[in-house]
């Protein structure tokens, strides 16, 4: 006979397998029935029907609750009353009605000391934040939501009219993308603008195009593990990816991004 430990003050779920259908207790025709008897220590009472608890009205040593079958398995949840002490054992018999005779499962439940509290899990190391790198807008004099050239240069980021974007990384992780709003490329393009509406459109186009193209180039170069080298006067030297991207935008890439489809949009709202 199987013996199950029941920690004092807690409940225990016990299950056993049958071949009955899931609606065995609830079907319209010939519903099944389960009866649970507490055989020891001398408590009277049974539990009948399809799930209503009515155990031992005179000496209720255990509370028993059953569940409807699920994939043939019937679960019985037991909990002990205060009159049971640690070490006391109760024999439980579950009888499931069956046309060929009842299916009977008998098991013992012994009250044991309460389970000690589980130790709290060790704190997990904070996971690195996933997401896009910080966007930093700068202009020569600074302003609302913009840092000045002098401010970023004090952090070691060189800035002048030729610079368009400076990617800042920590290891291989891109942490910031610094976009120069007073770059020569953007200043030259905005001279063509005739309205505030056009200026706002081009400014947003410039910011988004520079930011996401810089991010894409950086991620692709790192992901494909490219090694960058530049030859000057027949001398080849390694180039950091941040320097390469800043150089790429400084030459003509930013002007290409501004002219690509933007001119047609400006003409449409002129």
């Amino acid at each position: 006979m199987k013996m199950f430990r029941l920690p004092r003050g807690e409940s225990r779920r016990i299950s056993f397998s049958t071949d009955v259908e899931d609606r065995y207790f609830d079907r319209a025709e010939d519903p099944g029935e389960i009866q649970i008897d507490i055989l020891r220590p001398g408590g009277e009472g049974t539990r009948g029907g399809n799930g209503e608890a009515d155990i031992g009205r005179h000496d209720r040593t255990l509370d028993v609750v059953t569940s409807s079958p699920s994939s043939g398995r019937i679960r019985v949840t037991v909990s002990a009353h205060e009159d049971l002490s640690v070490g006391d054992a109760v024999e439980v018999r579950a009888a499931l009605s069956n046309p060929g005779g009842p299916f009977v499962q008998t098991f013992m439940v012994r009250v044991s000391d309460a389970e000690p509290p589980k130790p709290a899990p060790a704190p997990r190391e904070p996971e690195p934040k996933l997401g896009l790198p910080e966007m930093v807008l700068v202009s020569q004099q600074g302003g609302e939501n913009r840092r000045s050239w002098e401010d970023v240069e004090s952090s070691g980021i060189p800035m002048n009219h030729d610079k368009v974007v400076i990617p800042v990384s920590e290891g291989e992780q891109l942490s910031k993308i610094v976009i120069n709003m007073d770059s020569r490329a953007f200043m030259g393009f905005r001279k063509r603008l005739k309205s505030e509406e056009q200026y706002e459109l081009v400014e947003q186009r410039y910011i988004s195009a520079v930011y996401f193209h810089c991010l894409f180039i950086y991620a692709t170069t790192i992901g494909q593990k490219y090694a960058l080298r530049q030859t000057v006067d027949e001398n080849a030297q390694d180039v950091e990816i941040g320097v390469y991207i800043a150089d790429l935008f400084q030459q003509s890439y930013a002007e290409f991004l501004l002219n690509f489809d933007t001119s047609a949009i400006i003409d449409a709202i002129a």
Side-chain angles (χ1 to χ4, degrees), residues 87-152:
D88 288 345
V90 177
E91 186 175 337
V92 181
R93 183 176 65 189
L96 183 67
S97 63
N98 191 315
F103 170 78
V104 178
Q105 182 78 35
T106 304
F107 52 90
M108 297 289 294
V109 175
R110 183 182 297 278
V111 180
S112 63
D113 288 319
E115 296 284 350
K118 295 181 179 179
R124 298 177 59 183
E125 291 292 329
E127 296 181 358
K129 292 184 178 179
L130 300 178
L132 297 175
E134 178 187 359
M135 177 192 296
V136 180
L137 302 182
V138 301
S139 62
Q140 188 169 5
Q141 301 301 325
E144 185 178 1
N145 298 322
R146 295 180 186 180
R147 297 172 62 181
S148 67
W149 287 359
E150 183 180 1
D151 186 19
V152 296

Side-chain angles (χ1 to χ4, degrees), residues 16-244:
F16 51 92
S17 298
T18 71
D19 60 359
V20 300
E21 60 182 334
D22 288 356
R23 294 182 54 83
Y24 186 67
F25 295 146
D26 307 312
R27 61 191 181 188
E29 296 183 5
D30 193 22
E33 181 178 346
I34 188 170
Q35 177 175 302
I36 296 180
D37 296 310
I38 307 299
L39 303 181
R40 202 168 40 190
E44 294 183 356
T46 60
R47 176 182 182 280
N50 61 358
E52 297 297 326
D54 186 21
I55 295 293
R57 295 179 179 175
H58 302 293
D59 184 11
R60 299 189 353 169
T61 54
L62 286 181
D63 275 338
V64 182
V65 178
T66 63
S67 66
S68 295
S70 176
S71 300
R73 296 190 70 82
I74 296 178
R75 293 173 175 82
V76 177
T77 303
V78 297
S79 55
H81 279 216
E82 293 181 358
D83 54 352
L84 282 179
S85 302
V86 173
D88 288 345
V90 177
E91 186 175 337
V92 181
R93 183 176 65 189
L96 183 67
S97 63
N98 191 315
F103 170 78
V104 178
Q105 182 78 35
T106 304
F107 52 90
M108 297 289 294
V109 175
R110 183 182 297 278
V111 180
S112 63
D113 288 319
E115 296 284 350
K118 295 181 179 179
R124 298 177 59 183
E125 291 292 329
E127 296 181 358
K129 292 184 178 179
L130 300 178
L132 297 175
E134 178 187 359
M135 177 192 296
V136 180
L137 302 182
V138 301
S139 62
Q140 188 169 5
Q141 301 301 325
E144 185 178 1
N145 298 322
R146 295 180 186 180
R147 297 172 62 181
S148 67
W149 287 359
E150 183 180 1
D151 186 19
V152 296
E153 284 176 344
S154 67
S155 303
I157 301 174
M159 194 59 64
N160 54 51
H161 288 297
D162 292 329
K163 303 293 183 182
V164 174
V165 63
I166 303 290
V168 180
S169 60
E170 297 176 1
E172 291 190 350
Q173 182 69 37
L174 186 58
S175 59
K176 295 179 183 178
I177 296 178
V178 181
I179 301 175
N180 185 14
M181 301 304 295
D182 283 339
S183 68
R184 201 177 309 280
F186 185 49
M187 292 173 66
F189 194 89
R190 67 191 185 196
K191 289 179 181 178
R192 300 167 44 188
L193 308 179
K194 301 177 181 179
S195 69
E196 185 67 24
E197 185 180 8
Q198 289 180 344
Y199 180 84
E200 290 178 359
L201 183 146
V202 171
E203 183 180 69
Q204 292 304 314
R205 166 101 185 149
Y206 172 75
I207 292 172
S208 62
V210 170
Y211 179 86
F212 286 107
H213 278 253
C214 175
L215 177 61
F216 176 77
I217 295 171
Y218 187 95
T220 302
T221 305
I222 289 293
Q224 297 299 321
K225 302 186 182 305
Y226 285 112
L228 302 173
R229 294 177 65 80
Q230 184 180 35
T231 301
V232 179
D233 298 331
E234 298 184 355
N235 294 319
Q237 56 185 3
D238 293 336
V239 177
E240 293 182 359
I241 183 173
V243 174
Y244 163 70

